[in-house]
């Protein structure tokens, strides 16, 4: 436990020792009562995190698998892809590579795609679904899902949400906001090891999925829906990770999801004020990349002065025993990223930020 609080990548995130230990349990047949009881425990833990009464699909894949499932299972029609970073770009690429007609809107990484741009596209018609990344891990930008979903539903367009660095750190109201499909991966704000993905489909979405041709087999959500009601998965699940998920669901219930959201708000506010202090401390242009009011509470991308490279800071932080993330994609040189999500505490965050400030001073001094 003493080592916990050093690993601040925006995914995978640090896993609590109690969760790691849960994986040291024996194998079980995945068709049988003991497994079904374990699966029911996982459902009881995950449903309140998704804020849903619908069952939660458990996929033995990384999150990208369920992004592909979302596309393959959307009812026939073109897909509107809201792109404002690397992961939303991936969602668009998946739509295209699955042979769907896909239209990209947005395209710049400066903030959420505007509702005006979305409505302009929806008015032209023909979209059965749109894709959106709730918390863009590449930029630290958060998109407000509720008004987007209301708008899309006026045009009978389903909303497919990647909330991989949102869910379990940032409020996601699957039922209240009427999200059609929302997915996450195990290794981000849920603070589990990598290897599982979780998704919830509305009854309408899964009903209409039956009309989608070429759903394939491994990522056919209609199959997941059939099995989940038996507390089973279609194929052999990553059992050791399921043990970890059961324990983490109970740990989150103990904290309560509301307090978990609050802890993430506090960590992100603290990181933002640290960026402002850093600017004063070293007299250089540091800023939060995300625009005001659209910052994700789980990850902050910090824009750097031109004479500083993200990777050099990351290396200098590593010498101090902490891991933070470099910039992603086209922001690789001009930012670094701090993943303040999962089970991290304010005390741990304060330590990594102090180490990062020292690393910045050292790197600027050397340049
Ligand atoms: C990490 C991440 C993914 C991809 O997840 P994998 O588990 O690597 O497939 C997708 N979307 C977002 C927003 C992410 O942060």
């Amino acid at each position: 436990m003493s080592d916990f609080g050093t690993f601040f990548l925006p995914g995978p995130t640090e896993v609590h020792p109690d969760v790691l230990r849960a994986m040291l349990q024996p194998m079980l047949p995945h068709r049988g009562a003991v497994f079904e009881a374990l699966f029911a425990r996982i459902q009881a833990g995950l449903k309140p995190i998704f804020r849903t009464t619908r069952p939660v699909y458990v996929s033995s894949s990384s999150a990208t698998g369920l992004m592909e499932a979302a596309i393959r299972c959307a009812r026939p029609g073109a897909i509107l892809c809201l792109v404002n970073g690397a992961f939303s770009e991936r969602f668009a690429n998946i739509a295209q590579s699955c042979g769907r007609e896909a239209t990209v809107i947005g395209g710049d990484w400066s903030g959420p795609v505007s509702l005006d741009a979305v409505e302009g596209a929806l008015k032209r018609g023909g979209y059965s679904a749109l894709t959106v990344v709730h918390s863009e891990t590449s930029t630290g930008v958060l998109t407000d899902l509720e008004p987007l979903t209301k708008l899309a539903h006026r045009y009978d367009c389903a909303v497919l949400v990647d909330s991989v660095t949102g869910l379990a750190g940032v409020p996601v109201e699957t039922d209240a906001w009427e999200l059609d499909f929302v997915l996450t991966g195990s290794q981000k704000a849920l603070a589990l090891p990598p290897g599982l993905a979780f998704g919830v489909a509305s009854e309408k979405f899964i009903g209409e999925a039956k009309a989608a041709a070429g759903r394939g087999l491994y990522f056919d959500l209609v199959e997941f829906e059939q099995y989940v009601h038996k507390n089973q998965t279609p194929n052999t699940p990553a059992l050791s990770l399921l043990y970890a998920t059961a324990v983490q669901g109970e740990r989150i219930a103990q904290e309560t999801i509301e307090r978990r959201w609050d802890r993430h708000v506090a960590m992100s506010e603290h990181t933002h004020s640290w960026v402002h202090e850093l600017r004063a401390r070293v007299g250089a242009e540091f800023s939060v990349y995300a625009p005001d009011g659209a910052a994700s509470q789980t990850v902050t991308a910090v824009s750097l002065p031109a004479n500083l490279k993200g990777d050099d800071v990351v290396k200098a932080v590593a010498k101090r025993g902490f891991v933070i993330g470099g910039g992603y994609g086209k922001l690789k040189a001009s930012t670094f990223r701090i993943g303040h999500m999962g089970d991290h505490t304010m005390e741990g965050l304060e330590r990594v930020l102090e180490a990062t400030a020292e690393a910045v001073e050292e790197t600027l001094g050397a340049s």
Side-chain angles (χ1 to χ4, degrees), residues 29-40 43 55-59 223-237 242:
H30 56 281
R31 305 288 178 225
V34 179
F35 178 85
E36 287 163 16
L38 171 69
F39 198 85
Q43 292 296 314
V56 181
Y57 307 148
V58 180
S59 171
E223 280 246 310
F224 278 87
E225 175 75 17
Q226 284 159 5
Y227 279 86
V228 82
H229 290 290
K230 300 186 281 186
N231 280 317
Q232 288 186 10
T233 53
N235 306 290
T236 313
L242 295 193

Coordinates of all heavy atoms in Angstrom, one line a residue, residues 29-40 43 55-59 223-237 242:
P29 N -15.5 -23.1 -13.6 CA -16.3 -23.2 -14.9 C -17.1 -22.0 -15.1 O -17.7 -21.5 -14.2 CB -17.1 -24.5 -14.7 CG -17.2 -24.7 -13.2 CD -16.0 -24.0 -12.6
H30 N -17.1 -21.4 -16.4 CA -17.9 -20.2 -16.6 C -19.4 -20.5 -16.9 O -20.2 -19.6 -17.2 CB -17.3 -19.3 -17.6 CG -17.0 -19.9 -18.9 ND1 -15.9 -20.7 -19.1 CD2 -17.7 -19.8 -20.1 CE1 -15.9 -21.1 -20.4 NE2 -17.0 -20.5 -21.0
R31 N -19.7 -21.8 -16.9 CA -21.2 -22.2 -17.0 C -21.5 -22.9 -15.7 O -21.2 -24.1 -15.5 CB -21.4 -23.1 -18.2 CG -21.0 -22.6 -19.5 CD -21.8 -21.5 -20.1 NE -21.3 -21.0 -21.4 CZ -21.1 -19.7 -21.7 NH1 -21.4 -18.8 -20.8 NH2 -20.6 -19.4 -22.9
G32 N -22.0 -22.2 -14.7 CA -22.3 -22.8 -13.5 C -22.6 -21.8 -12.4 O -22.4 -20.6 -12.6
A33 N -23.2 -22.3 -11.3 CA -23.8 -21.4 -10.3 C -22.8 -20.5 -9.6 O -23.1 -19.4 -9.3 CB -24.5 -22.3 -9.2
V34 N -21.6 -21.0 -9.4 CA -20.6 -20.2 -8.6 C -20.2 -19.0 -9.5 O -20.2 -17.8 -9.1 CB -19.3 -21.0 -8.2 CG1 -18.3 -20.1 -7.5 CG2 -19.7 -22.1 -7.4
F35 N -20.0 -19.2 -10.8 CA -19.7 -18.1 -11.7 C -20.9 -17.2 -11.8 O -20.7 -15.9 -11.8 CB -19.4 -18.6 -13.1 CG -19.1 -17.5 -14.1 CD1 -17.8 -17.0 -14.2 CD2 -20.1 -17.0 -14.9 CE1 -17.6 -15.9 -15.0 CE2 -19.9 -15.9 -15.7 CZ -18.6 -15.4 -15.8
E36 N -22.1 -17.7 -11.9 CA -23.2 -16.8 -12.1 C -23.4 -15.9 -10.8 O -23.8 -14.7 -11.0 CB -24.5 -17.6 -12.3 CG -24.5 -18.2 -13.7 CD -25.5 -19.3 -14.0 OE1 -26.4 -19.5 -13.1 OE2 -25.3 -20.1 -15.0
A37 N -23.0 -16.4 -9.7 CA -23.1 -15.6 -8.5 C -22.0 -14.5 -8.5 O -22.3 -13.3 -8.2 CB -22.9 -16.4 -7.2
L38 N -20.9 -14.8 -9.0 CA -19.8 -13.8 -9.2 C -20.3 -12.7 -10.2 O -20.1 -11.5 -9.9 CB -18.5 -14.5 -9.7 CG -17.4 -13.5 -10.1 CD1 -16.8 -12.8 -8.9 CD2 -16.3 -14.3 -10.9
F39 N -20.9 -13.2 -11.3 CA -21.3 -12.2 -12.3 C -22.4 -11.3 -11.8 O -22.5 -10.1 -12.1 CB -21.8 -13.0 -13.5 CG -21.9 -12.2 -14.8 CD1 -20.7 -12.0 -15.6 CD2 -23.0 -11.6 -15.2 CE1 -20.8 -11.2 -16.7 CE2 -23.1 -10.8 -16.4 CZ -22.0 -10.6 -17.1
A40 N -23.3 -11.9 -10.9 CA -24.4 -11.1 -10.3 C -23.8 -10.0 -9.4 O -24.3 -8.9 -9.4 CB -25.3 -12.0 -9.6
Q43 N -22.6 -7.2 -11.6 CA -23.7 -6.4 -12.0 C -24.2 -5.4 -10.9 O -24.4 -4.3 -11.2 CB -24.9 -7.3 -12.4 CG -24.7 -8.2 -13.7 CD -24.5 -7.3 -14.9 OE1 -25.2 -6.4 -15.2 NE2 -23.5 -7.6 -15.7
P55 N -28.9 -4.2 -17.8 CA -27.7 -5.0 -17.5 C -26.4 -4.4 -18.1 O -26.5 -3.7 -19.1 CB -28.0 -6.3 -18.1 CG -29.0 -6.0 -19.2 CD -29.8 -4.8 -18.7
V56 N -25.3 -4.7 -17.5 CA -24.0 -4.2 -18.0 C -23.3 -5.4 -18.8 O -23.0 -6.4 -18.2 CB -23.1 -3.7 -16.9 CG1 -21.8 -3.1 -17.4 CG2 -23.9 -2.6 -16.1
Y57 N -23.0 -5.2 -20.0 CA -22.3 -6.2 -20.8 C -20.8 -6.2 -20.4 O -20.2 -5.1 -20.1 CB -22.3 -5.9 -22.3 CG -23.7 -5.7 -22.9 CD1 -24.0 -4.9 -24.0 CD2 -24.8 -6.4 -22.3 CE1 -25.2 -4.7 -24.5 CE2 -26.1 -6.2 -22.9 CZ -26.3 -5.4 -23.9 OH -27.5 -5.2 -24.5
V58 N -20.2 -7.4 -20.3 CA -18.8 -7.5 -19.9 C -18.1 -8.2 -21.0 O -18.4 -9.3 -21.4 CB -18.7 -8.3 -18.6 CG1 -17.2 -8.5 -18.2 CG2 -19.5 -7.7 -17.5
S59 N -17.2 -7.4 -21.7 CA -16.5 -7.9 -22.8 C -15.0 -8.2 -22.5 O -14.4 -7.3 -21.9 CB -16.6 -6.9 -24.0 OG -15.7 -7.2 -25.0
E223 N -26.1 -10.9 -28.8 CA -25.6 -12.1 -28.0 C -25.3 -11.8 -26.6 O -25.7 -12.5 -25.6 CB -24.3 -12.7 -28.6 CG -24.5 -13.5 -29.8 CD -24.1 -15.0 -29.6 OE1 -23.0 -15.2 -29.1 OE2 -24.9 -15.8 -29.9
F224 N -24.6 -10.6 -26.4 CA -24.3 -10.2 -25.0 C -25.6 -10.1 -24.2 O -25.7 -10.4 -23.0 CB -23.5 -8.9 -25.0 CG -22.1 -9.1 -25.2 CD1 -21.5 -9.1 -26.5 CD2 -21.2 -9.2 -24.1 CE1 -20.2 -9.2 -26.7 CE2 -19.8 -9.3 -24.3 CZ -19.3 -9.3 -25.6
E225 N -26.6 -9.5 -24.8 CA -27.9 -9.2 -24.2 C -28.5 -10.6 -23.8 O -29.0 -10.7 -22.6 CB -28.8 -8.4 -25.1 CG -30.2 -8.2 -24.6 CD -30.4 -7.1 -23.5 OE1 -29.4 -6.3 -23.4 OE2 -31.4 -7.1 -22.8
Q226 N -28.5 -11.6 -24.6 CA -29.1 -12.9 -24.3 C -28.4 -13.5 -23.1 O -29.0 -14.0 -22.2 CB -29.0 -13.8 -25.5 CG -30.1 -13.5 -26.5 CD -29.7 -14.0 -27.9 OE1 -28.8 -14.7 -28.1 NE2 -30.6 -13.6 -28.9
Y227 N -27.0 -13.4 -23.1 CA -26.3 -14.1 -22.0 C -26.3 -13.4 -20.7 O -26.3 -14.0 -19.7 CB -24.8 -14.3 -22.5 CG -24.7 -15.6 -23.4 CD1 -24.9 -15.5 -24.7 CD2 -24.4 -16.8 -22.8 CE1 -24.8 -16.7 -25.5 CE2 -24.3 -18.0 -23.6 CZ -24.5 -17.9 -24.9 OH -24.4 -19.0 -25.7
V228 N -26.4 -12.0 -20.8 CA -26.2 -11.3 -19.5 C -27.4 -11.6 -18.6 O -27.3 -11.5 -17.4 CB -26.1 -9.7 -19.8 CG1 -27.4 -9.1 -20.1 CG2 -25.3 -9.0 -18.7
H229 N -28.6 -11.9 -19.2 CA -29.7 -12.2 -18.4 C -29.6 -13.5 -17.7 O -30.3 -13.8 -16.7 CB -31.0 -12.2 -19.2 CG -31.4 -10.7 -19.7 ND1 -31.8 -9.8 -18.8 CD2 -31.2 -10.1 -20.9 CE1 -32.0 -8.6 -19.4 NE2 -31.6 -8.8 -20.7
K230 N -28.6 -14.4 -18.1 CA -28.3 -15.6 -17.4 C -27.1 -15.5 -16.5 O -26.6 -16.4 -16.0 CB -28.0 -16.7 -18.5 CG -29.1 -17.1 -19.4 CD -28.8 -18.3 -20.3 CE -27.9 -17.9 -21.5 NZ -27.7 -19.0 -22.4
N231 N -26.7 -14.2 -16.3 CA -25.4 -14.0 -15.6 C -24.2 -14.7 -16.2 O -23.4 -15.3 -15.5 CB -25.6 -14.3 -14.1 CG -26.3 -13.2 -13.4 OD1 -26.0 -12.0 -13.6 ND2 -27.2 -13.6 -12.5
Q232 N -24.2 -14.7 -17.5 CA -23.1 -15.3 -18.2 C -22.6 -14.4 -19.4 O -23.2 -13.4 -19.7 CB -23.5 -16.6 -18.9 CG -23.8 -17.7 -17.8 CD -24.1 -19.0 -18.5 OE1 -24.0 -19.2 -19.7 NE2 -24.5 -20.0 -17.7
T233 N -21.4 -14.8 -19.9 CA -20.9 -14.1 -21.1 C -21.0 -15.1 -22.3 O -20.9 -16.3 -22.1 CB -19.5 -13.6 -20.9 OG1 -18.7 -14.7 -20.5 CG2 -19.4 -12.5 -19.8
P234 N -21.0 -14.5 -23.5 CA -21.1 -15.5 -24.7 C -19.9 -16.4 -24.8 O -20.1 -17.6 -25.1 CB -21.2 -14.5 -25.9 CG -21.6 -13.2 -25.4 CD -21.1 -13.1 -24.0
N235 N -18.7 -15.9 -24.5 CA -17.5 -16.8 -24.6 C -16.8 -16.8 -23.3 O -17.2 -16.2 -22.3 CB -16.6 -16.2 -25.7 CG -17.4 -16.1 -27.0 OD1 -17.8 -17.1 -27.6 ND2 -17.7 -14.9 -27.4
T236 N -15.6 -17.5 -23.2 CA -14.9 -17.6 -22.0 C -14.4 -16.2 -21.5 O -13.7 -15.5 -22.3 CB -13.6 -18.5 -22.2 OG1 -14.0 -19.7 -22.9 CG2 -13.0 -18.8 -20.9
P237 N -14.9 -15.8 -20.4 CA -14.5 -14.4 -19.9 C -13.1 -14.5 -19.3 O -12.6 -15.5 -18.9 CB -15.5 -14.1 -18.9 CG -15.9 -15.4 -18.3 CD -15.8 -16.4 -19.4
L242 N -12.5 -10.6 -13.7 CA -13.8 -10.5 -13.1 C -13.8 -10.5 -11.6 O -14.5 -9.8 -11.0 CB -14.7 -11.6 -13.7 CG -15.0 -11.7 -15.1 CD1 -16.2 -12.7 -15.4 CD2 -15.4 -10.3 -15.7

